[in-house]
Every structure is written in C-alpha cells, then in structure tokens.
Amino acid sequence: QQQVKQSPQSLIVQKGGISIINCAYENTAFDYFPWYQQFPGKGPALLIAIRPDVSEKKEGRFTISFNKSAKQFSLHIMDSQPGDSATYFCAARPGGYNKLIFGAGTRLAVHP
Amino acid sequence: DGGITQSPKYLFRKEGQNVTLSCEQNLNHDAMYWYRQDPGQGLRLIYYSQIVNDFQKGDIAEGYSVSREKKESFPLTVTSAQKNPTAFYLCASTSTPPGQENYGYTFGSGTRLTVV
C-alpha cells in the first residue's frame, strides 16, 4: 500500500522541550525515508533522511529513529526553539521509483 | 543562484477556465514533479517527468495536464475538469538517482490558486 500515515496533526511544545512526530507505513518496498520542513508560504526543504538499514540518524538537534520490524519511523527535535515552528512532513520512496510519497504533515508550534 | 521558480505566487481564476502554472529550474535536474498541498492531506503527486518529452501520472492526475518540451520547464495546466482546483501547488526537481544517498527534492515556493 502506497501510504505513509503521520501523527499528530498538530503539536505544541514549550521552548527547550522535545518534539516527537511519528510516521508509519505498510509497503516494505520503501527504501528511503526523508523528513521535510516547511515554513508558511514556502516550499518544503529537506531536513534529514534515513535508509532502512540504519536504526538512528542524528544531525544537530534533529534525530530520526527507525524501527524496521514495526514499520515506523519518527523525528525527534531536541531543545525545540520557536524558530522550529513549521510544518513537518515525513516521506517514503518506493524502491526503484524516482518519486516520494508524503505523510499528511504535522504543524509544530514551539512556545517561548 | 540555482533554484526552482514558480510563477505567479498567487493566481485567481473563474470557475470553468483553464489555467497554467509555470515551473522553471536552472539546476540541470532531469526529474521534475508537481504536487498539490491541501490542509490535512499533505502533498499529493499530480504528475512527474523523468526526462524531456516523457511524463507519468501521479495519484491525482485527473483534471490536470502537463508538458515537458524543455529540460528546464514543466508547466501544469489545471483544466475545467478538475472538480476542486483551489489549492497550493508545488513544483519540485531532483537530479539524484533513486538509489543514491541523500536523495531529495528541491521545491519551488509554490503557487496558490484560488478559483472563484
């Protein structure tokens, strides 16, 4: 099934807290899982990505955790800042295809 | 600066009229994409093109048409057959083959289409 289910739809976090966004998929042929960040009125930008043979990838305050057996992956934003307030999309690439399937998005608000 | 240019940023059209959204890239990318963004539904793929003069339907192609006559350009026409055309439209491109690390899109800034 060519779907990626993302939750929650919206998230409010206090400055300095941890933001966690979850995604789940059914298609075991997905071979690449990127996260995108989108600010209002702008196009999404690639934030961080992971392959299914890796369980965790960290870049600065952003970490992807990947659970292949559960077919789930999540984005953790440590020490969340007001500047992180944006919409976040998870995505997955069907193996052998040059396209991405996106989740529904999570609107994150970090309050000072 | 290299990038993707979408124009116009805002577009208003009367119901029943066809409208064409522009997407131009100077990144020398082979593959280009059109996505539609609606609140709570994420990004849904309309059409994509791997090379010039070739394109494939995405998940929601009905009511839309595209052309790819030049590598740099991938215009999207929203026809009167599209039942609910009001949305935010995003164009993207990539040069990275599917099997490569750091595969990802470069997105334009989008066109907000409102049909009244």
Side-chain angles (χ1 to χ4, degrees):
Chain A
Q1 196 161 357
Q2 299 270 3
Q3 271 191 341
V4 180
K5 294 183 180 180
Q6 183 172 348
S7 63
Q9 189 172 3
S10 62
L11 181 62
I12 298 174
V13 173
Q14 294 298 314
K15 179 182 176 182
I18 302 173
S19 304
I20 302 175
I21 303 170
N22 301 298
C23 285
Y25 63 97
E26 289 295 325
N27 188 347
T28 56
F30 288 149
D31 67 356
Y32 189 69
F33 301 87
W35 285 88
Y36 283 78
Q37 179 188 55
Q38 183 184 32
F39 293 104
K42 302 294 184 183
L46 179 64
L47 190 61
I48 187 173
I50 198 167
R51 300 179 71 95
D53 55 349
V54 176
S55 60
E56 185 175 281
K57 184 173 181 179
K58 184 176 181 179
E59 290 184 1
R61 296 184 295 108
F62 300 91
T63 300
I64 300 178
S65 296
F66 190 87
N67 186 329
K68 189 174 181 178
S69 61
K71 289 184 279 189
Q72 296 175 348
F73 58 110
S74 60
L75 176 69
H76 295 233
I77 306 175
M78 312 300 288
D79 187 25
S80 298
Q81 299 297 312
D84 296 330
S85 298
T87 299
Y88 292 82
F89 294 96
C90 62
R93 181 179 66 198
Y97 288 87
N98 195 7
K99 64 178 181 180
L100 292 173
I101 309 297
F102 285 85
T106 296
R107 180 175 286 185
L108 171 66
V110 181
H111 289 180
Chain B
D1 286 337
I4 297 182
T5 301
Q6 289 188 243
S7 61
K9 192 171 181 64
Y10 299 96
L11 189 55
F12 295 87
R13 277 296 181 268
K14 291 184 177 179
E15 193 171 339
Q17 289 182 335
N18 291 357
V19 60
T20 297
L21 281 59
S22 170
C23 177
E24 302 278 333
Q25 55 101 355
N26 60 4
L27 300 165
N28 199 34
H29 286 176
D30 289 311
M32 297 187 72
Y33 308 80
W34 275 104
Y35 283 86
R36 170 180 171 143
Q37 183 174 5
D38 297 283
Q41 297 195 55
L43 308 178
R44 293 182 292 166
L45 183 62
I46 304 172
Y47 268 98
Y48 63 110
S49 169
Q50 309 270 9
I51 57 172
V52 174
N53 292 324
D54 186 47
F55 47 82
Q56 291 80 39
K57 292 182 178 180
D59 300 317
I60 56 165
E62 184 176 352
Y64 299 97
S65 66
V66 293
S67 63
R68 187 86 186 278
E69 298 176 0
K70 298 186 300 181
K71 188 175 184 178
E72 309 81 43
S73 179
F74 191 40
L76 173 73
T77 296
V78 184
T79 75
S80 57
Q82 169 50 230
K83 300 301 181 188
N84 185 20
T86 294
F88 188 53
Y89 290 87
L90 286 160
C91 180
S93 70
T94 186
S95 65
T96 314
Q100 291 292 321
E101 192 69 40
N102 296 325
Y103 174 88
Y105 294 166
T106 299
F107 278 93
S109 293
T111 292
R112 187 164 298 281
L113 172 64
T114 302
V115 175
V116 296

Short mmCIF file of all heavy atoms in Angstrom, two decimals, chain A residues 9 31-32 34 36 38 41-46 49-51 57 87 89 93 96-105, chain B residues 9 31 33 35 37 40-43 45 48 50 59 88 90 94 96-105 107-109:
data_model
loop_
_atom_site.label_atom_id
_atom_site.label_comp_id
_atom_site.label_asym_id
_atom_site.label_seq_id
_atom_site.Cartn_x
_atom_site.Cartn_y
_atom_site.Cartn_z
N GLN A 9 -1.41 15.50 14.03
CA GLN A 9 -1.68 16.51 13.01
C GLN A 9 -1.12 17.86 13.45
O GLN A 9 -0.66 18.65 12.63
CB GLN A 9 -3.19 16.61 12.78
CG GLN A 9 -3.58 17.48 11.60
CD GLN A 9 -5.06 17.38 11.29
OE1 GLN A 9 -5.82 16.70 11.99
NE2 GLN A 9 -5.49 18.06 10.24
N ASP A 31 12.35 2.34 0.36
CA ASP A 31 13.77 2.18 0.62
C ASP A 31 14.48 3.45 1.09
O ASP A 31 15.70 3.46 1.22
CB ASP A 31 14.47 1.61 -0.61
CG ASP A 31 14.47 2.57 -1.79
OD1 ASP A 31 13.86 3.66 -1.68
OD2 ASP A 31 15.06 2.23 -2.83
N TYR A 32 13.72 4.49 1.35
CA TYR A 32 14.36 5.74 1.75
C TYR A 32 13.31 6.60 2.42
O TYR A 32 12.18 6.69 1.92
CB TYR A 32 14.92 6.43 0.51
CG TYR A 32 15.79 7.63 0.77
CD1 TYR A 32 17.04 7.50 1.35
CD2 TYR A 32 15.36 8.91 0.43
CE1 TYR A 32 17.85 8.60 1.57
CE2 TYR A 32 16.15 10.00 0.65
CZ TYR A 32 17.39 9.86 1.22
OH TYR A 32 18.18 10.94 1.45
N PRO A 34 12.83 10.35 4.01
CA PRO A 34 13.27 11.72 4.35
C PRO A 34 12.21 12.47 5.15
O PRO A 34 11.03 12.11 5.16
CB PRO A 34 13.44 12.37 2.97
CG PRO A 34 12.42 11.68 2.12
CD PRO A 34 12.27 10.27 2.67
N TYR A 36 10.87 16.53 5.71
CA TYR A 36 10.91 17.87 5.15
C TYR A 36 10.31 18.86 6.14
O TYR A 36 9.38 18.54 6.88
CB TYR A 36 10.14 17.93 3.83
CG TYR A 36 10.90 17.34 2.66
CD1 TYR A 36 10.97 15.97 2.48
CD2 TYR A 36 11.58 18.16 1.77
CE1 TYR A 36 11.69 15.42 1.42
CE2 TYR A 36 12.30 17.63 0.72
CZ TYR A 36 12.35 16.26 0.56
OH TYR A 36 13.07 15.73 -0.48
N GLN A 38 8.64 22.78 6.36
CA GLN A 38 8.04 23.81 5.53
C GLN A 38 7.57 24.99 6.38
O GLN A 38 6.79 24.81 7.31
CB GLN A 38 6.85 23.25 4.75
CG GLN A 38 6.19 24.26 3.80
CD GLN A 38 4.96 23.70 3.12
OE1 GLN A 38 4.23 22.90 3.69
NE2 GLN A 38 4.70 24.14 1.89
N GLY A 41 4.02 29.71 3.39
CA GLY A 41 4.23 30.37 2.11
C GLY A 41 5.47 29.94 1.35
O GLY A 41 5.79 30.51 0.31
N LYS A 42 6.15 28.92 1.84
CA LYS A 42 7.38 28.43 1.21
C LYS A 42 7.23 26.97 0.81
O LYS A 42 6.34 26.27 1.27
CB LYS A 42 8.56 28.57 2.18
CG LYS A 42 8.82 29.97 2.67
CD LYS A 42 9.26 30.88 1.55
CE LYS A 42 9.62 32.27 2.06
NZ LYS A 42 9.97 33.18 0.93
N GLY A 43 8.13 26.53 -0.06
CA GLY A 43 8.18 25.12 -0.37
C GLY A 43 8.92 24.35 0.72
O GLY A 43 9.73 24.91 1.44
N PRO A 44 8.64 23.06 0.85
CA PRO A 44 9.35 22.24 1.84
C PRO A 44 10.84 22.15 1.52
O PRO A 44 11.24 22.24 0.36
CB PRO A 44 8.68 20.88 1.71
CG PRO A 44 7.38 21.14 1.03
CD PRO A 44 7.62 22.30 0.12
N ALA A 45 11.64 21.95 2.56
CA ALA A 45 13.08 21.77 2.41
C ALA A 45 13.50 20.50 3.12
O ALA A 45 13.02 20.21 4.22
CB ALA A 45 13.83 22.98 2.97
N LEU A 46 14.40 19.76 2.49
CA LEU A 46 14.89 18.51 3.09
C LEU A 46 15.60 18.80 4.40
O LEU A 46 16.50 19.64 4.48
CB LEU A 46 15.84 17.82 2.12
CG LEU A 46 16.46 16.51 2.59
CD1 LEU A 46 15.38 15.45 2.81
CD2 LEU A 46 17.50 16.01 1.58
N ALA A 49 17.34 12.54 6.49
CA ALA A 49 16.80 11.34 5.85
C ALA A 49 17.52 10.11 6.37
O ALA A 49 18.65 10.20 6.88
CB ALA A 49 16.93 11.45 4.34
N ILE A 50 16.86 8.94 6.21
CA ILE A 50 17.43 7.70 6.71
C ILE A 50 17.10 6.56 5.76
O ILE A 50 16.07 6.59 5.06
CB ILE A 50 16.90 7.40 8.14
CG1 ILE A 50 17.79 6.37 8.85
CG2 ILE A 50 15.44 6.93 8.10
CD1 ILE A 50 17.51 6.27 10.35
N ARG A 51 17.97 5.57 5.70
CA ARG A 51 17.72 4.35 4.94
C ARG A 51 17.28 3.26 5.92
O ARG A 51 17.64 3.31 7.10
CB ARG A 51 18.98 3.94 4.19
CG ARG A 51 19.46 4.99 3.20
CD ARG A 51 20.72 4.54 2.50
NE ARG A 51 20.43 3.47 1.57
CZ ARG A 51 20.21 3.66 0.28
NH1 ARG A 51 20.19 4.88 -0.22
NH2 ARG A 51 19.96 2.63 -0.51
N LYS A 57 19.58 8.17 13.01
CA LYS A 57 20.47 9.14 12.37
C LYS A 57 20.27 10.48 13.05
O LYS A 57 19.13 10.91 13.25
CB LYS A 57 20.19 9.25 10.88
CG LYS A 57 21.15 10.19 10.16
CD LYS A 57 20.93 10.14 8.67
CE LYS A 57 21.91 11.05 7.94
NZ LYS A 57 21.70 10.98 6.46
N THR A 87 5.68 23.33 9.53
CA THR A 87 5.00 22.07 9.24
C THR A 87 6.05 21.05 8.81
O THR A 87 6.92 21.37 7.99
CB THR A 87 3.95 22.25 8.14
OG1 THR A 87 2.97 23.19 8.60
CG2 THR A 87 3.26 20.93 7.82
N PHE A 89 6.88 17.18 7.30
CA PHE A 89 6.36 16.07 6.51
C PHE A 89 7.35 14.92 6.53
O PHE A 89 8.53 15.12 6.26
CB PHE A 89 6.15 16.48 5.04
CG PHE A 89 5.08 17.51 4.83
CD1 PHE A 89 5.41 18.85 4.72
CD2 PHE A 89 3.75 17.14 4.73
CE1 PHE A 89 4.43 19.81 4.51
CE2 PHE A 89 2.76 18.09 4.51
CZ PHE A 89 3.11 19.42 4.41
N ARG A 93 10.19 6.67 -0.19
CA ARG A 93 10.41 6.43 -1.62
C ARG A 93 10.15 4.96 -1.93
O ARG A 93 10.79 4.08 -1.34
CB ARG A 93 11.85 6.77 -2.00
CG ARG A 93 12.16 6.58 -3.48
CD ARG A 93 13.58 6.97 -3.77
NE ARG A 93 14.53 6.08 -3.11
CZ ARG A 93 15.81 6.38 -2.92
NH1 ARG A 93 16.29 7.54 -3.31
NH2 ARG A 93 16.61 5.52 -2.33
N GLY A 96 13.04 1.65 -6.36
CA GLY A 96 13.11 1.60 -7.81
C GLY A 96 12.37 2.72 -8.50
O GLY A 96 12.45 2.85 -9.73
N TYR A 97 11.65 3.52 -7.76
CA TYR A 97 10.89 4.62 -8.33
C TYR A 97 11.53 5.95 -7.96
O TYR A 97 12.05 6.12 -6.87
CB TYR A 97 9.44 4.61 -7.85
CG TYR A 97 8.62 3.50 -8.44
CD1 TYR A 97 8.58 2.25 -7.85
CD2 TYR A 97 7.89 3.71 -9.60
CE1 TYR A 97 7.83 1.23 -8.40
CE2 TYR A 97 7.14 2.70 -10.16
CZ TYR A 97 7.11 1.45 -9.55
OH TYR A 97 6.38 0.45 -10.10
N ASN A 98 11.45 6.89 -8.88
CA ASN A 98 12.04 8.21 -8.67
C ASN A 98 10.96 9.18 -8.22
O ASN A 98 10.69 10.19 -8.88
CB ASN A 98 12.70 8.68 -9.96
CG ASN A 98 13.63 9.85 -9.72
OD1 ASN A 98 13.89 10.23 -8.59
ND2 ASN A 98 14.14 10.43 -10.79
N LYS A 99 10.32 8.89 -7.07
CA LYS A 99 9.29 9.76 -6.54
C LYS A 99 9.16 9.52 -5.04
O LYS A 99 9.67 8.53 -4.51
CB LYS A 99 7.95 9.50 -7.22
CG LYS A 99 7.37 8.11 -6.97
CD LYS A 99 6.03 7.95 -7.65
CE LYS A 99 5.45 6.57 -7.37
NZ LYS A 99 4.12 6.38 -8.01
N LEU A 100 8.50 10.45 -4.36
CA LEU A 100 8.28 10.36 -2.93
C LEU A 100 6.79 10.36 -2.62
O LEU A 100 6.00 11.06 -3.27
CB LEU A 100 8.94 11.54 -2.20
CG LEU A 100 10.47 11.59 -2.20
CD1 LEU A 100 10.95 12.90 -1.58
CD2 LEU A 100 11.04 10.39 -1.45
N ILE A 101 6.41 9.57 -1.60
CA ILE A 101 5.06 9.56 -1.05
C ILE A 101 5.13 10.30 0.29
O ILE A 101 5.97 9.93 1.13
CB ILE A 101 4.55 8.14 -0.82
CG1 ILE A 101 4.73 7.27 -2.08
CG2 ILE A 101 3.10 8.16 -0.35
CD1 ILE A 101 3.94 7.74 -3.26
N PHE A 102 4.28 11.31 0.48
CA PHE A 102 4.35 12.14 1.68
C PHE A 102 3.25 11.80 2.68
O PHE A 102 2.14 11.40 2.31
CB PHE A 102 4.23 13.62 1.30
CG PHE A 102 5.47 14.19 0.67
CD1 PHE A 102 5.68 14.06 -0.69
CD2 PHE A 102 6.42 14.84 1.44
CE1 PHE A 102 6.84 14.58 -1.29
CE2 PHE A 102 7.57 15.36 0.85
CZ PHE A 102 7.77 15.23 -0.51
N GLY A 103 3.56 12.00 3.96
CA GLY A 103 2.56 11.96 5.00
C GLY A 103 1.73 13.24 4.99
O GLY A 103 2.00 14.17 4.21
N ALA A 104 0.72 13.29 5.86
CA ALA A 104 -0.23 14.41 5.86
C ALA A 104 0.33 15.68 6.49
O ALA A 104 -0.26 16.74 6.34
CB ALA A 104 -1.51 13.99 6.57
N GLY A 105 1.44 15.58 7.19
CA GLY A 105 2.05 16.76 7.78
C GLY A 105 1.69 16.96 9.24
O GLY A 105 0.61 16.56 9.69
N LYS B 9 2.91 33.73 -7.83
CA LYS B 9 2.80 33.27 -6.45
C LYS B 9 1.33 33.09 -6.07
O LYS B 9 0.96 32.18 -5.35
CB LYS B 9 3.47 34.28 -5.51
CG LYS B 9 3.65 33.76 -4.09
CD LYS B 9 4.51 34.71 -3.30
CE LYS B 9 4.73 34.21 -1.88
NZ LYS B 9 5.49 32.94 -1.85
N ALA B 31 14.66 15.13 -13.40
CA ALA B 31 13.31 14.79 -12.97
C ALA B 31 12.60 15.99 -12.36
O ALA B 31 13.19 16.75 -11.59
CB ALA B 31 13.35 13.65 -11.95
N TYR B 33 8.53 17.41 -10.80
CA TYR B 33 7.32 16.91 -10.17
C TYR B 33 6.34 18.05 -9.91
O TYR B 33 6.75 19.18 -9.65
CB TYR B 33 7.64 16.25 -8.81
CG TYR B 33 8.73 15.22 -8.86
CD1 TYR B 33 10.07 15.59 -8.88
CD2 TYR B 33 8.42 13.86 -8.90
CE1 TYR B 33 11.07 14.65 -8.94
CE2 TYR B 33 9.42 12.91 -8.95
CZ TYR B 33 10.75 13.31 -8.97
OH TYR B 33 11.73 12.37 -9.03
N TYR B 35 3.17 18.65 -7.16
CA TYR B 35 2.40 18.19 -6.02
C TYR B 35 1.32 19.22 -5.70
O TYR B 35 1.51 20.42 -5.90
CB TYR B 35 3.28 18.02 -4.78
CG TYR B 35 4.13 16.77 -4.79
CD1 TYR B 35 5.37 16.76 -5.41
CD2 TYR B 35 3.70 15.61 -4.15
CE1 TYR B 35 6.16 15.62 -5.41
CE2 TYR B 35 4.48 14.47 -4.14
CZ TYR B 35 5.70 14.48 -4.77
OH TYR B 35 6.47 13.34 -4.77
N GLN B 37 -0.95 20.62 -2.45
CA GLN B 37 -0.99 20.62 -0.99
C GLN B 37 -2.32 21.17 -0.51
O GLN B 37 -2.69 22.30 -0.85
CB GLN B 37 0.16 21.46 -0.41
CG GLN B 37 0.21 21.44 1.11
CD GLN B 37 1.43 22.13 1.68
OE1 GLN B 37 2.23 22.74 0.97
NE2 GLN B 37 1.60 22.04 2.98
N GLY B 40 -4.21 19.25 5.95
CA GLY B 40 -4.54 17.94 6.50
C GLY B 40 -4.36 16.77 5.54
O GLY B 40 -4.57 15.62 5.92
N GLN B 41 -3.94 17.06 4.30
CA GLN B 41 -3.78 15.96 3.32
C GLN B 41 -2.35 15.83 2.82
O GLN B 41 -2.06 15.00 1.97
CB GLN B 41 -4.73 16.16 2.14
CG GLN B 41 -6.19 16.11 2.53
CD GLN B 41 -7.10 15.95 1.33
OE1 GLN B 41 -6.95 15.01 0.55
NE2 GLN B 41 -8.05 16.86 1.17
N GLY B 42 -1.48 16.64 3.30
CA GLY B 42 -0.09 16.52 2.88
C GLY B 42 0.12 16.92 1.44
O GLY B 42 -0.62 17.73 0.88
N LEU B 43 1.12 16.33 0.84
CA LEU B 43 1.48 16.61 -0.55
C LEU B 43 1.08 15.40 -1.39
O LEU B 43 1.53 14.29 -1.14
CB LEU B 43 2.99 16.85 -0.69
CG LEU B 43 3.60 17.89 0.25
CD1 LEU B 43 5.10 17.98 0.03
CD2 LEU B 43 2.95 19.23 0.03
N LEU B 45 0.90 13.70 -5.24
CA LEU B 45 1.59 13.78 -6.52
C LEU B 45 0.59 13.85 -7.67
O LEU B 45 -0.29 12.99 -7.80
CB LEU B 45 2.50 12.55 -6.67
CG LEU B 45 3.35 12.49 -7.92
CD1 LEU B 45 4.34 13.67 -7.99
CD2 LEU B 45 4.13 11.16 -7.95
N TYR B 48 4.67 13.58 -12.81
CA TYR B 48 6.11 13.72 -12.75
C TYR B 48 6.73 13.34 -14.08
O TYR B 48 6.12 12.62 -14.88
CB TYR B 48 6.72 12.95 -11.58
CG TYR B 48 6.57 11.45 -11.61
CD1 TYR B 48 7.68 10.63 -11.83
CD2 TYR B 48 5.35 10.85 -11.35
CE1 TYR B 48 7.56 9.25 -11.81
CE2 TYR B 48 5.22 9.47 -11.33
CZ TYR B 48 6.33 8.68 -11.55
OH TYR B 48 6.20 7.31 -11.54
N GLN B 50 10.54 12.20 -15.84
CA GLN B 50 11.92 11.75 -15.61
C GLN B 50 12.88 12.38 -16.63
O GLN B 50 14.05 12.62 -16.34
CB GLN B 50 12.01 10.23 -15.75
CG GLN B 50 10.99 9.47 -14.92
CD GLN B 50 11.49 9.13 -13.55
OE1 GLN B 50 12.54 9.61 -13.12
NE2 GLN B 50 10.76 8.31 -12.82
N ASP B 59 -0.84 10.30 -8.35
CA ASP B 59 -2.02 9.75 -7.69
C ASP B 59 -3.31 10.51 -7.97
O ASP B 59 -4.41 9.98 -7.83
CB ASP B 59 -1.78 9.72 -6.17
CG ASP B 59 -0.57 8.85 -5.82
OD1 ASP B 59 -0.45 7.77 -6.41
OD2 ASP B 59 0.23 9.28 -4.97
N PHE B 88 -2.74 24.83 -2.96
CA PHE B 88 -1.36 25.31 -3.06
C PHE B 88 -0.60 24.29 -3.90
O PHE B 88 -0.59 23.10 -3.57
CB PHE B 88 -0.76 25.44 -1.65
CG PHE B 88 0.57 26.10 -1.58
CD1 PHE B 88 0.79 27.34 -2.15
CD2 PHE B 88 1.63 25.51 -0.90
CE1 PHE B 88 2.02 27.98 -2.07
CE2 PHE B 88 2.87 26.14 -0.81
CZ PHE B 88 3.06 27.37 -1.39
N LEU B 90 2.87 22.88 -5.67
CA LEU B 90 4.32 22.87 -5.51
C LEU B 90 5.00 22.11 -6.63
O LEU B 90 4.58 21.00 -6.97
CB LEU B 90 4.70 22.23 -4.17
CG LEU B 90 4.43 23.08 -2.94
CD1 LEU B 90 4.38 22.22 -1.69
CD2 LEU B 90 5.49 24.16 -2.78
N THR B 94 14.71 16.91 -9.00
CA THR B 94 15.84 16.21 -8.40
C THR B 94 16.76 15.72 -9.51
O THR B 94 16.32 15.44 -10.61
CB THR B 94 15.39 15.04 -7.52
OG1 THR B 94 16.53 14.48 -6.87
CG2 THR B 94 14.73 13.94 -8.34
N THR B 96 19.19 13.40 -8.33
CA THR B 96 19.80 12.23 -7.71
C THR B 96 19.09 10.97 -8.13
O THR B 96 17.87 10.88 -7.99
CB THR B 96 19.74 12.35 -6.18
OG1 THR B 96 20.15 13.66 -5.80
CG2 THR B 96 20.61 11.33 -5.52
N PRO B 97 19.81 9.98 -8.63
CA PRO B 97 19.15 8.71 -8.97
C PRO B 97 18.53 8.09 -7.73
O PRO B 97 19.01 8.30 -6.61
CB PRO B 97 20.31 7.85 -9.50
CG PRO B 97 21.35 8.82 -9.91
CD PRO B 97 21.22 9.98 -8.97
N PRO B 98 17.48 7.29 -7.89
CA PRO B 98 16.75 6.76 -6.74
C PRO B 98 17.61 5.99 -5.75
O PRO B 98 17.35 5.97 -4.58
CB PRO B 98 15.70 5.85 -7.37
CG PRO B 98 15.49 6.41 -8.73
CD PRO B 98 16.83 6.94 -9.15
N GLY B 99 18.67 5.35 -6.20
CA GLY B 99 19.44 4.51 -5.29
C GLY B 99 20.49 5.24 -4.49
O GLY B 99 21.16 4.65 -3.66
N GLN B 100 20.63 6.54 -4.73
CA GLN B 100 21.72 7.27 -4.10
C GLN B 100 21.37 7.77 -2.71
O GLN B 100 20.21 8.06 -2.40
CB GLN B 100 22.09 8.48 -4.97
CG GLN B 100 22.74 8.10 -6.29
CD GLN B 100 24.11 7.51 -6.10
OE1 GLN B 100 24.87 7.97 -5.26
NE2 GLN B 100 24.43 6.48 -6.87
N GLU B 101 22.37 7.90 -1.87
CA GLU B 101 22.23 8.53 -0.56
C GLU B 101 21.88 9.99 -0.75
O GLU B 101 22.20 10.60 -1.76
CB GLU B 101 23.55 8.41 0.20
CG GLU B 101 23.46 8.77 1.66
CD GLU B 101 22.66 7.77 2.47
OE1 GLU B 101 22.79 6.57 2.22
OE2 GLU B 101 21.90 8.21 3.34
N ASN B 102 21.18 10.58 0.23
CA ASN B 102 20.81 12.00 0.19
C ASN B 102 19.89 12.33 -0.98
O ASN B 102 19.87 13.46 -1.46
CB ASN B 102 22.04 12.90 0.13
CG ASN B 102 22.88 12.76 1.39
OD1 ASN B 102 22.36 12.58 2.48
ND2 ASN B 102 24.18 12.83 1.22
N TYR B 103 19.16 11.34 -1.44
CA TYR B 103 18.14 11.61 -2.45
C TYR B 103 17.14 12.59 -1.88
O TYR B 103 16.67 12.44 -0.77
CB TYR B 103 17.43 10.31 -2.82
CG TYR B 103 16.27 10.47 -3.76
CD1 TYR B 103 16.45 10.46 -5.14
CD2 TYR B 103 14.96 10.61 -3.27
CE1 TYR B 103 15.38 10.58 -6.01
CE2 TYR B 103 13.90 10.74 -4.13
CZ TYR B 103 14.10 10.72 -5.50
OH TYR B 103 13.04 10.85 -6.35
N GLY B 104 16.79 13.60 -2.65
CA GLY B 104 15.80 14.55 -2.16
C GLY B 104 15.40 15.53 -3.23
O GLY B 104 16.07 15.67 -4.26
N TYR B 105 14.29 16.18 -2.99
CA TYR B 105 13.78 17.15 -3.92
C TYR B 105 14.26 18.55 -3.55
O TYR B 105 14.47 18.86 -2.37
CB TYR B 105 12.26 17.22 -3.86
CG TYR B 105 11.47 16.02 -4.32
CD1 TYR B 105 10.12 15.95 -4.02
CD2 TYR B 105 12.03 14.99 -5.06
CE1 TYR B 105 9.34 14.88 -4.42
CE2 TYR B 105 11.25 13.91 -5.47
CZ TYR B 105 9.91 13.86 -5.16
OH TYR B 105 9.14 12.81 -5.57
N PHE B 107 12.34 22.08 -3.87
CA PHE B 107 11.00 22.59 -4.14
C PHE B 107 11.05 24.06 -4.52
O PHE B 107 11.92 24.82 -4.08
CB PHE B 107 10.13 22.47 -2.88
CG PHE B 107 9.53 21.12 -2.66
CD1 PHE B 107 10.17 20.18 -1.88
CD2 PHE B 107 8.32 20.78 -3.24
CE1 PHE B 107 9.62 18.93 -1.67
CE2 PHE B 107 7.75 19.53 -3.04
CZ PHE B 107 8.41 18.60 -2.25
N GLY B 108 10.07 24.47 -5.33
CA GLY B 108 9.82 25.88 -5.54
C GLY B 108 9.02 26.44 -4.38
O GLY B 108 8.68 25.71 -3.44
N SER B 109 8.71 27.74 -4.45
CA SER B 109 7.97 28.39 -3.36
C SER B 109 6.46 28.29 -3.51
O SER B 109 5.73 28.77 -2.65
CB SER B 109 8.36 29.87 -3.28
OG SER B 109 9.71 29.99 -2.87
#
